[in-house]
Amino acid sequence: MTICGLEYVIAETTDSDRWRVLAEDVLGLSQTTKHTRPGWNFYKMDDRIFRLAVRAGNENRYVLAGWDVGDESALAAFAKRLTASGIAVEHGTPLDCAERGVLGLIRFADADGNCHELVHGGHRDYQWEARPGGPHRFVTDPM
């Protein structure tokens, strides 16, 4: 059982405009209009349908991180191991999976109370959405 990579991060904010500036102007992410939910902004950087989701709320805080575990059997093994360790595991509903763009997920809290989701089957979107301000590219110094 291994975690293959970070699929997404979800944050809550009282100031969506500041997050937009951070996501687009600092991190170089593109706000996606294909994945929508009232009160939420979704940002992408690659073929994942989103990497960062920011929801409007009463606090500025981390909500959760979603971690790719590869496939359904790995997800089941993680659920079994977490449960055996005394950690409460919640299985995601079909709506949860649709909102995250995954085929399956489980949710749990770590020892510090941070919420995590383990997922498999992340949907991919290979069509890039143009960023405001025109085309952008990575620029590096000569080696």
Side-chain angles (χ1 to χ4, degrees), residues 14-85:
T14 60
D15 189 345
S16 295
D17 288 335
R18 287 185 70 194
W19 269 95
R20 183 194 49 73
V21 169
L22 174 67
E24 292 181 356
D25 298 341
V26 177
L27 300 177
L29 305 179
S30 176
Q31 187 170 3
T32 179
T33 57
K34 293 180 182 177
H35 196 75
T36 61
R37 185 173 177 189
W40 291 60
N41 292 315
F42 294 90
Y43 300 93
K44 65 182 290 165
M45 62 182 284
D46 55 14
D47 61 348
R48 189 73 183 89
I49 62 170
F50 75 90
R51 288 292 184 171
L52 173 65
V54 181
R55 70 181 190 200
N58 297 323
E59 297 180 68
N60 293 305
R61 67 184 187 96
Y62 160 90
V63 175
L64 63 86
W67 304 94
D68 178 20
V69 297
D71 59 31
E72 188 175 8
S73 63
L75 187 65
F78 269 107
K80 183 176 180 179
R81 186 170 182 181
L82 289 165
T83 302
S85 299

Side-chain angles (χ1 to χ4, degrees), residues 74-104:
L75 187 65
F78 269 107
K80 183 176 180 179
R81 186 170 182 181
L82 289 165
T83 302
S85 299
I87 297 171
V89 172
E90 177 186 345
H91 291 267
T93 66
L95 179 60
D96 291 332
C97 292
E99 289 177 346
R100 305 294 193 269
V102 298
L103 296 177

